[in-house]
mmCIF file of all heavy atoms in Angstrom:
data_model
loop_
_atom_site.group_PDB
_atom_site.id
_atom_site.type_symbol
_atom_site.label_atom_id
_atom_site.label_comp_id
_atom_site.label_asym_id
_atom_site.label_seq_id
_atom_site.Cartn_x
_atom_site.Cartn_y
_atom_site.Cartn_z
ATOM 1 N N VAL A 1 83.413 2.756 3.527
ATOM 2 C CA VAL A 1 83.674 1.315 3.555
ATOM 3 C C VAL A 1 82.553 0.646 4.346
ATOM 4 O O VAL A 1 82.327 0.989 5.518
ATOM 5 C CB VAL A 1 85.027 1.009 4.216
ATOM 6 C CG1 VAL A 1 85.281 -0.495 4.232
ATOM 7 C CG2 VAL A 1 86.155 1.742 3.497
ATOM 8 N N PRO A 2 81.809 -0.287 3.767
ATOM 9 C CA PRO A 2 80.740 -0.973 4.502
ATOM 10 C C PRO A 2 81.280 -1.694 5.735
ATOM 11 O O PRO A 2 82.409 -2.188 5.738
ATOM 12 C CB PRO A 2 80.184 -1.970 3.478
ATOM 13 C CG PRO A 2 80.595 -1.424 2.144
ATOM 14 C CD PRO A 2 81.914 -0.749 2.367
ATOM 15 N N CYS A 3 80.461 -1.762 6.775
ATOM 16 C CA CYS A 3 80.875 -2.424 8.014
ATOM 17 C C CYS A 3 81.242 -3.883 7.766
ATOM 18 O O CYS A 3 82.109 -4.438 8.459
ATOM 19 C CB CYS A 3 79.760 -2.330 9.055
ATOM 20 S SG CYS A 3 79.384 -0.640 9.576
ATOM 21 N N ALA A 4 80.583 -4.511 6.799
ATOM 22 C CA ALA A 4 80.842 -5.926 6.506
ATOM 23 C C ALA A 4 82.267 -6.166 6.034
ATOM 24 O O ALA A 4 82.768 -7.299 6.113
ATOM 25 C CB ALA A 4 79.854 -6.428 5.456
ATOM 26 N N LYS A 5 82.941 -5.133 5.547
ATOM 27 C CA LYS A 5 84.310 -5.269 5.061
ATOM 28 C C LYS A 5 85.348 -4.917 6.133
ATOM 29 O O LYS A 5 86.540 -4.902 5.854
ATOM 30 C CB LYS A 5 84.520 -4.397 3.824
ATOM 31 C CG LYS A 5 83.719 -4.861 2.611
ATOM 32 C CD LYS A 5 84.087 -4.075 1.372
ATOM 33 C CE LYS A 5 83.349 -4.609 0.144
ATOM 34 N NZ LYS A 5 83.728 -3.888 -1.092
ATOM 35 N N ILE A 6 84.876 -4.639 7.345
ATOM 36 C CA ILE A 6 85.753 -4.294 8.460
ATOM 37 C C ILE A 6 85.686 -5.408 9.497
ATOM 38 O O ILE A 6 84.599 -5.909 9.829
ATOM 39 C CB ILE A 6 85.318 -2.968 9.125
ATOM 40 C CG1 ILE A 6 85.268 -1.827 8.100
ATOM 41 C CG2 ILE A 6 86.236 -2.616 10.279
ATOM 42 C CD1 ILE A 6 86.603 -1.390 7.571
ATOM 43 N N ASP A 7 86.830 -5.811 10.027
ATOM 44 C CA ASP A 7 86.847 -6.778 11.116
ATOM 45 C C ASP A 7 86.257 -6.127 12.361
ATOM 46 O O ASP A 7 86.858 -5.205 12.934
ATOM 47 C CB ASP A 7 88.275 -7.252 11.400
ATOM 48 C CG ASP A 7 88.850 -8.083 10.273
ATOM 49 O OD1 ASP A 7 88.062 -8.734 9.564
ATOM 50 O OD2 ASP A 7 90.089 -8.073 10.100
ATOM 51 N N GLN A 8 85.068 -6.570 12.772
ATOM 52 C CA GLN A 8 84.368 -5.952 13.883
ATOM 53 C C GLN A 8 84.919 -6.427 15.224
ATOM 54 O O GLN A 8 85.333 -7.581 15.364
ATOM 55 C CB GLN A 8 82.877 -6.245 13.790
ATOM 56 C CG GLN A 8 82.205 -5.665 12.553
ATOM 57 C CD GLN A 8 82.363 -4.150 12.469
ATOM 58 O OE1 GLN A 8 82.143 -3.436 13.450
ATOM 59 N NE2 GLN A 8 82.765 -3.661 11.296
ATOM 60 N N PRO A 9 84.933 -5.544 16.222
ATOM 61 C CA PRO A 9 85.489 -5.898 17.530
ATOM 62 C C PRO A 9 84.569 -6.833 18.304
ATOM 63 O O PRO A 9 83.347 -6.874 18.069
ATOM 64 C CB PRO A 9 85.587 -4.545 18.230
ATOM 65 C CG PRO A 9 84.489 -3.728 17.619
ATOM 66 C CD PRO A 9 84.450 -4.153 16.176
ATOM 67 N N GLU A 10 85.168 -7.565 19.232
ATOM 68 C CA GLU A 10 84.378 -8.350 20.182
ATOM 69 C C GLU A 10 84.077 -7.442 21.369
ATOM 70 O O GLU A 10 84.969 -7.049 22.128
ATOM 71 C CB GLU A 10 85.166 -9.580 20.640
ATOM 72 C CG GLU A 10 84.363 -10.497 21.556
ATOM 73 C CD GLU A 10 85.152 -11.699 22.018
ATOM 74 O OE1 GLU A 10 86.290 -11.891 21.533
ATOM 75 O OE2 GLU A 10 84.639 -12.434 22.887
ATOM 76 N N ILE A 11 82.802 -7.080 21.511
ATOM 77 C CA ILE A 11 82.416 -6.092 22.520
ATOM 78 C C ILE A 11 80.938 -6.242 22.819
ATOM 79 O O ILE A 11 80.155 -6.634 21.943
ATOM 80 C CB ILE A 11 82.733 -4.654 22.014
ATOM 81 C CG1 ILE A 11 82.471 -3.615 23.098
ATOM 82 C CG2 ILE A 11 81.947 -4.342 20.747
ATOM 83 C CD1 ILE A 11 82.933 -2.211 22.710
ATOM 84 N N ASP A 12 80.548 -5.976 24.059
ATOM 85 C CA ASP A 12 79.139 -5.984 24.447
ATOM 86 C C ASP A 12 78.589 -4.568 24.238
ATOM 87 O O ASP A 12 78.794 -3.682 25.078
ATOM 88 C CB ASP A 12 78.982 -6.401 25.904
ATOM 89 C CG ASP A 12 79.390 -7.846 26.129
ATOM 90 O OD1 ASP A 12 79.162 -8.674 25.224
ATOM 91 O OD2 ASP A 12 79.939 -8.142 27.216
ATOM 92 N N PHE A 13 77.925 -4.346 23.115
ATOM 93 C CA PHE A 13 77.426 -3.018 22.794
ATOM 94 C C PHE A 13 76.325 -2.590 23.767
ATOM 95 O O PHE A 13 75.546 -3.415 24.251
ATOM 96 C CB PHE A 13 76.887 -2.973 21.363
ATOM 97 C CG PHE A 13 77.944 -3.058 20.309
ATOM 98 C CD1 PHE A 13 78.140 -4.229 19.591
ATOM 99 C CD2 PHE A 13 78.753 -1.969 20.026
ATOM 100 C CE1 PHE A 13 79.109 -4.319 18.605
ATOM 101 C CE2 PHE A 13 79.740 -2.039 19.048
ATOM 102 C CZ PHE A 13 79.920 -3.222 18.343
ATOM 103 N N ILE A 14 76.259 -1.300 24.019
ATOM 104 C CA ILE A 14 75.254 -0.708 24.907
ATOM 105 C C ILE A 14 74.189 -0.034 24.049
ATOM 106 O O ILE A 14 74.504 0.723 23.127
ATOM 107 C CB ILE A 14 75.910 0.317 25.862
ATOM 108 C CG1 ILE A 14 76.921 -0.402 26.766
ATOM 109 C CG2 ILE A 14 74.863 1.044 26.698
ATOM 110 C CD1 ILE A 14 77.741 0.537 27.625
ATOM 111 N N GLY A 15 72.938 -0.298 24.345
ATOM 112 C CA GLY A 15 71.856 0.268 23.547
ATOM 113 C C GLY A 15 71.483 1.684 23.931
ATOM 114 O O GLY A 15 71.033 2.474 23.092
ATOM 115 N N GLU A 16 71.663 2.062 25.196
ATOM 116 C CA GLU A 16 71.221 3.371 25.679
ATOM 117 C C GLU A 16 72.022 4.507 25.033
ATOM 118 O O GLU A 16 73.258 4.479 25.002
ATOM 119 C CB GLU A 16 71.387 3.438 27.198
ATOM 120 C CG GLU A 16 70.968 4.773 27.803
ATOM 121 C CD GLU A 16 71.287 4.868 29.291
ATOM 122 O OE1 GLU A 16 71.863 3.896 29.829
ATOM 123 O OE2 GLU A 16 70.985 5.905 29.885
ATOM 124 N N HIS A 17 71.301 5.515 24.535
ATOM 125 C CA HIS A 17 71.932 6.703 23.969
ATOM 126 C C HIS A 17 72.065 7.781 25.041
ATOM 127 O O HIS A 17 71.148 7.969 25.849
ATOM 128 C CB HIS A 17 71.103 7.259 22.815
ATOM 129 C CG HIS A 17 71.038 6.356 21.621
ATOM 130 N ND1 HIS A 17 70.329 6.670 20.482
ATOM 131 C CD2 HIS A 17 71.591 5.144 21.387
ATOM 132 C CE1 HIS A 17 70.449 5.695 19.602
ATOM 133 N NE2 HIS A 17 71.210 4.749 20.132
ATOM 134 N N ALA A 18 73.181 8.487 25.033
ATOM 135 C CA ALA A 18 73.347 9.599 25.968
ATOM 136 C C ALA A 18 72.407 10.746 25.625
ATOM 137 O O ALA A 18 71.954 11.486 26.507
ATOM 138 C CB ALA A 18 74.798 10.087 25.954
ATOM 139 N N ALA A 19 72.105 10.911 24.343
ATOM 140 C CA ALA A 19 71.180 11.954 23.866
ATOM 141 C C ALA A 19 70.560 11.435 22.576
ATOM 142 O O ALA A 19 71.128 10.568 21.912
ATOM 143 C CB ALA A 19 71.911 13.270 23.625
ATOM 144 N N ASP A 20 69.415 11.973 22.244
ATOM 145 C CA ASP A 20 68.739 11.571 21.007
ATOM 146 C C ASP A 20 68.354 12.802 20.212
ATOM 147 O O ASP A 20 67.736 13.727 20.758
ATOM 148 C CB ASP A 20 67.495 10.732 21.293
ATOM 149 C CG ASP A 20 67.838 9.282 21.588
ATOM 150 O OD1 ASP A 20 68.498 8.657 20.748
ATOM 151 O OD2 ASP A 20 67.461 8.790 22.673
ATOM 152 N N CYS A 21 68.721 12.797 18.953
ATOM 153 C CA CYS A 21 68.357 13.899 18.062
ATOM 154 C C CYS A 21 66.987 13.594 17.461
ATOM 155 O O CYS A 21 66.813 12.566 16.795
ATOM 156 C CB CYS A 21 69.403 14.055 16.962
ATOM 157 S SG CYS A 21 69.120 15.473 15.899
ATOM 158 N N ALA A 22 66.023 14.458 17.695
ATOM 159 C CA ALA A 22 64.662 14.220 17.211
ATOM 160 C C ALA A 22 64.586 14.249 15.691
ATOM 161 O O ALA A 22 63.786 13.533 15.087
ATOM 162 C CB ALA A 22 63.710 15.260 17.806
ATOM 163 N N ASP A 23 65.427 15.066 15.061
ATOM 164 C CA ASP A 23 65.377 15.206 13.601
ATOM 165 C C ASP A 23 66.758 15.615 13.111
ATOM 166 O O ASP A 23 67.238 16.701 13.417
ATOM 167 C CB ASP A 23 64.331 16.255 13.203
ATOM 168 C CG ASP A 23 64.106 16.324 11.700
ATOM 169 O OD1 ASP A 23 64.801 15.610 10.959
ATOM 170 O OD2 ASP A 23 63.226 17.098 11.274
ATOM 171 N N TRP A 24 67.412 14.751 12.331
ATOM 172 C CA TRP A 24 68.756 15.052 11.846
ATOM 173 C C TRP A 24 68.740 16.063 10.695
ATOM 174 O O TRP A 24 69.773 16.606 10.320
ATOM 175 C CB TRP A 24 69.444 13.767 11.369
ATOM 176 C CG TRP A 24 69.996 12.901 12.464
ATOM 177 C CD1 TRP A 24 69.535 11.681 12.848
ATOM 178 C CD2 TRP A 24 71.124 13.174 13.319
ATOM 179 N NE1 TRP A 24 70.306 11.178 13.877
ATOM 180 C CE2 TRP A 24 71.286 12.073 14.181
ATOM 181 C CE3 TRP A 24 72.003 14.250 13.421
ATOM 182 C CZ2 TRP A 24 72.290 12.009 15.136
ATOM 183 C CZ3 TRP A 24 73.014 14.191 14.377
ATOM 184 C CH2 TRP A 24 73.153 13.077 15.219
ATOM 185 N N ARG A 25 67.581 16.316 10.125
ATOM 186 C CA ARG A 25 67.542 17.209 8.969
ATOM 187 C C ARG A 25 67.861 18.644 9.370
ATOM 188 O O ARG A 25 67.448 19.110 10.426
ATOM 189 C CB ARG A 25 66.158 17.173 8.313
ATOM 190 C CG ARG A 25 65.803 15.845 7.650
ATOM 191 C CD ARG A 25 64.382 15.872 7.141
ATOM 192 N NE ARG A 25 63.436 16.088 8.237
ATOM 193 C CZ ARG A 25 62.127 16.262 8.072
ATOM 194 N NH1 ARG A 25 61.606 16.265 6.858
ATOM 195 N NH2 ARG A 25 61.334 16.435 9.118
ATOM 196 N N VAL A 26 68.598 19.339 8.512
ATOM 197 C CA VAL A 26 68.885 20.764 8.703
ATOM 198 C C VAL A 26 68.485 21.495 7.428
ATOM 199 O O VAL A 26 68.966 21.166 6.341
ATOM 200 C CB VAL A 26 70.377 21.023 9.008
ATOM 201 C CG1 VAL A 26 70.636 22.516 9.156
ATOM 202 C CG2 VAL A 26 70.798 20.289 10.273
ATOM 203 N N GLU A 27 67.608 22.474 7.571
ATOM 204 C CA GLU A 27 67.165 23.232 6.410
ATOM 205 C C GLU A 27 68.298 24.104 5.866
ATOM 206 O O GLU A 27 69.262 24.414 6.565
ATOM 207 C CB GLU A 27 65.971 24.124 6.785
ATOM 208 C CG GLU A 27 64.775 23.383 7.362
ATOM 209 C CD GLU A 27 64.904 23.120 8.857
ATOM 210 O OE1 GLU A 27 65.960 23.454 9.436
ATOM 211 O OE2 GLU A 27 63.954 22.555 9.423
ATOM 212 N N THR A 28 68.184 24.489 4.601
ATOM 213 C CA THR A 28 69.178 25.393 4.023
ATOM 214 C C THR A 28 68.820 26.842 4.358
ATOM 215 O O THR A 28 67.652 27.179 4.556
ATOM 216 C CB THR A 28 69.251 25.233 2.499
ATOM 217 O OG1 THR A 28 67.960 25.493 1.937
ATOM 218 C CG2 THR A 28 69.688 23.830 2.118
ATOM 219 N N VAL A 29 69.829 27.682 4.439
ATOM 220 C CA VAL A 29 69.623 29.109 4.691
ATOM 221 C C VAL A 29 69.051 29.747 3.430
ATOM 222 O O VAL A 29 69.572 29.548 2.330
ATOM 223 C CB VAL A 29 70.953 29.784 5.085
ATOM 224 C CG1 VAL A 29 70.775 31.286 5.218
ATOM 225 C CG2 VAL A 29 71.477 29.188 6.394
ATOM 226 N N CYS A 30 67.978 30.496 3.597
ATOM 227 C CA CYS A 30 67.289 31.075 2.431
ATOM 228 C C CYS A 30 68.081 32.213 1.795
ATOM 229 O O CYS A 30 68.265 32.251 0.580
ATOM 230 C CB CYS A 30 65.896 31.569 2.842
ATOM 231 S SG CYS A 30 64.782 30.243 3.330
ATOM 232 N N GLU A 31 68.556 33.149 2.624
ATOM 233 C CA GLU A 31 69.241 34.332 2.110
ATOM 234 C C GLU A 31 70.748 34.185 2.268
ATOM 235 O O GLU A 31 71.280 34.279 3.378
ATOM 236 C CB GLU A 31 68.754 35.587 2.838
ATOM 237 C CG GLU A 31 67.293 35.929 2.598
ATOM 238 C CD GLU A 31 67.031 36.349 1.158
ATOM 239 O OE1 GLU A 31 67.953 36.894 0.519
ATOM 240 O OE2 GLU A 31 65.905 36.135 0.678
ATOM 241 N N LYS A 32 71.433 33.936 1.148
ATOM 242 C CA LYS A 32 72.893 33.809 1.191
ATOM 243 C C LYS A 32 73.507 35.016 0.484
ATOM 244 O O LYS A 32 74.029 34.917 -0.619
ATOM 245 C CB LYS A 32 73.342 32.511 0.525
ATOM 246 C CG LYS A 32 72.841 31.241 1.206
ATOM 247 C CD LYS A 32 73.435 30.009 0.551
ATOM 248 C CE LYS A 32 72.870 28.734 1.127
ATOM 249 N NZ LYS A 32 71.452 28.528 0.752
ATOM 250 N N THR A 33 73.421 36.164 1.130
ATOM 251 C CA THR A 33 73.955 37.394 0.541
ATOM 252 C C THR A 33 75.274 37.794 1.197
ATOM 253 O O THR A 33 76.320 37.773 0.561
ATOM 254 C CB THR A 33 72.926 38.533 0.665
ATOM 255 O OG1 THR A 33 72.487 38.624 2.035
ATOM 256 C CG2 THR A 33 71.724 38.268 -0.231
ATOM 257 N N ILE A 34 75.218 38.099 2.489
ATOM 258 C CA ILE A 34 76.425 38.489 3.225
ATOM 259 C C ILE A 34 76.736 37.410 4.254
ATOM 260 O O ILE A 34 75.921 37.129 5.132
ATOM 261 C CB ILE A 34 76.241 39.842 3.931
ATOM 262 C CG1 ILE A 34 75.902 40.934 2.910
ATOM 263 C CG2 ILE A 34 77.494 40.214 4.718
ATOM 264 C CD1 ILE A 34 75.574 42.264 3.535
ATOM 265 N N PRO A 35 77.908 36.777 4.167
ATOM 266 C CA PRO A 35 78.234 35.728 5.140
ATOM 267 C C PRO A 35 78.419 36.296 6.541
ATOM 268 O O PRO A 35 78.903 37.416 6.719
ATOM 269 C CB PRO A 35 79.531 35.124 4.602
ATOM 270 C CG PRO A 35 80.125 36.181 3.740
ATOM 271 C CD PRO A 35 78.971 36.945 3.156
ATOM 272 N N ALA A 36 78.032 35.502 7.534
ATOM 273 C CA ALA A 36 78.231 35.902 8.929
ATOM 274 C C ALA A 36 79.683 35.701 9.348
ATOM 275 O O ALA A 36 80.165 36.346 10.280
ATOM 276 C CB ALA A 36 77.305 35.107 9.838
ATOM 277 N N PHE A 37 80.380 34.796 8.637
ATOM 278 C CA PHE A 37 81.796 34.536 8.911
ATOM 279 C C PHE A 37 82.399 33.881 7.680
ATOM 280 O O PHE A 37 81.720 33.126 6.976
ATOM 281 C CB PHE A 37 81.970 33.619 10.126
ATOM 282 C CG PHE A 37 83.387 33.210 10.394
ATOM 283 C CD1 PHE A 37 84.297 34.116 10.905
ATOM 284 C CD2 PHE A 37 83.828 31.915 10.131
ATOM 285 C CE1 PHE A 37 85.620 33.759 11.138
ATOM 286 C CE2 PHE A 37 85.136 31.541 10.365
ATOM 287 C CZ PHE A 37 86.040 32.470 10.864
ATOM 288 N N SER A 38 83.671 34.180 7.405
ATOM 289 C CA SER A 38 84.345 33.547 6.276
ATOM 290 C C SER A 38 85.834 33.431 6.570
ATOM 291 O O SER A 38 86.383 34.159 7.413
ATOM 292 C CB SER A 38 84.126 34.349 4.987
ATOM 293 O OG SER A 38 84.667 35.646 5.103
ATOM 294 N N LEU A 39 86.492 32.511 5.873
ATOM 295 C CA LEU A 39 87.934 32.363 6.013
ATOM 296 C C LEU A 39 88.481 31.575 4.831
ATOM 297 O O LEU A 39 87.742 30.859 4.141
ATOM 298 C CB LEU A 39 88.320 31.657 7.311
ATOM 299 C CG LEU A 39 88.231 30.114 7.359
ATOM 300 C CD1 LEU A 39 89.063 29.589 8.520
ATOM 301 C CD2 LEU A 39 86.802 29.641 7.447
ATOM 302 N N LYS A 40 89.804 31.726 4.606
ATOM 303 C CA LYS A 40 90.525 30.939 3.619
ATOM 304 C C LYS A 40 91.339 29.895 4.366
ATOM 305 O O LYS A 40 92.117 30.229 5.267
ATOM 306 C CB LYS A 40 91.448 31.826 2.776
ATOM 307 C CG LYS A 40 92.180 31.080 1.669
ATOM 308 C CD LYS A 40 93.030 32.040 0.844
ATOM 309 C CE LYS A 40 93.765 31.320 -0.271
ATOM 310 N NZ LYS A 40 94.595 32.248 -1.083
ATOM 311 N N ILE A 41 91.175 28.629 4.013
ATOM 312 C CA ILE A 41 91.805 27.545 4.751
ATOM 313 C C ILE A 41 93.318 27.546 4.544
ATOM 314 O O ILE A 41 93.813 27.653 3.416
ATOM 315 C CB ILE A 41 91.229 26.182 4.318
ATOM 316 C CG1 ILE A 41 89.727 26.131 4.606
ATOM 317 C CG2 ILE A 41 91.951 25.042 5.026
ATOM 318 C CD1 ILE A 41 89.355 26.372 6.043
ATOM 319 N N ALA A 42 94.037 27.421 5.653
ATOM 320 C CA ALA A 42 95.501 27.311 5.641
ATOM 321 C C ALA A 42 95.899 26.098 6.472
ATOM 322 O O ALA A 42 95.059 25.393 7.042
ATOM 323 C CB ALA A 42 96.138 28.592 6.182
ATOM 324 N N ASN A 43 97.193 25.856 6.573
ATOM 325 C CA ASN A 43 97.687 24.610 7.179
ATOM 326 C C ASN A 43 97.272 24.420 8.632
ATOM 327 O O ASN A 43 97.138 23.292 9.094
ATOM 328 C CB ASN A 43 99.205 24.538 7.054
ATOM 329 C CG ASN A 43 99.884 25.585 7.933
ATOM 330 O OD1 ASN A 43 100.094 25.381 9.116
ATOM 331 N ND2 ASN A 43 100.228 26.725 7.342
ATOM 332 N N SER A 44 97.057 25.502 9.379
ATOM 333 C CA SER A 44 96.733 25.364 10.803
ATOM 334 C C SER A 44 95.362 24.742 11.044
ATOM 335 O O SER A 44 95.056 24.332 12.172
ATOM 336 C CB SER A 44 96.806 26.726 11.502
ATOM 337 O OG SER A 44 95.849 27.618 10.963
ATOM 338 N N GLU A 45 94.540 24.661 10.008
ATOM 339 C CA GLU A 45 93.212 24.062 10.146
ATOM 340 C C GLU A 45 93.244 22.544 9.925
ATOM 341 O O GLU A 45 92.240 21.869 10.142
ATOM 342 C CB GLU A 45 92.241 24.682 9.134
ATOM 343 C CG GLU A 45 92.228 26.203 9.090
ATOM 344 C CD GLU A 45 91.884 26.818 10.438
ATOM 345 O OE1 GLU A 45 90.837 26.482 10.989
ATOM 346 O OE2 GLU A 45 92.687 27.638 10.939
#
């Protein structure tokens, strides 16, 4: 939902970030043969 369609709060936003990610990109794993971990999703998740 675009922000323009949401009633925005009245608040004094802070510009300072607690941390900064230099690069959000994550490469894909080249070798997908044997998984390091696996599970079947059930209700507890």
Side-chain angles (χ1 to χ4, degrees):
V1 180
C3 296
K5 293 187 176 182
I6 304 291
D7 292 332
Q8 297 302 313
E10 184 181 354
I11 186 173
D12 294 325
F13 289 105
I14 297 173
E16 179 186 2
H17 294 179
D20 280 304
C21 185
D23 187 357
W24 281 111
R25 293 175 299 174
V26 178
E27 303 84 356
T28 58
V29 175
C30 294
E31 295 293 331
K32 297 185 185 70
T33 51
I34 301 174
F37 175 73
S38 62
L39 81 162
K40 183 178 180 180
I41 299 303
N43 69 84
S44 63
E45 311 302 305

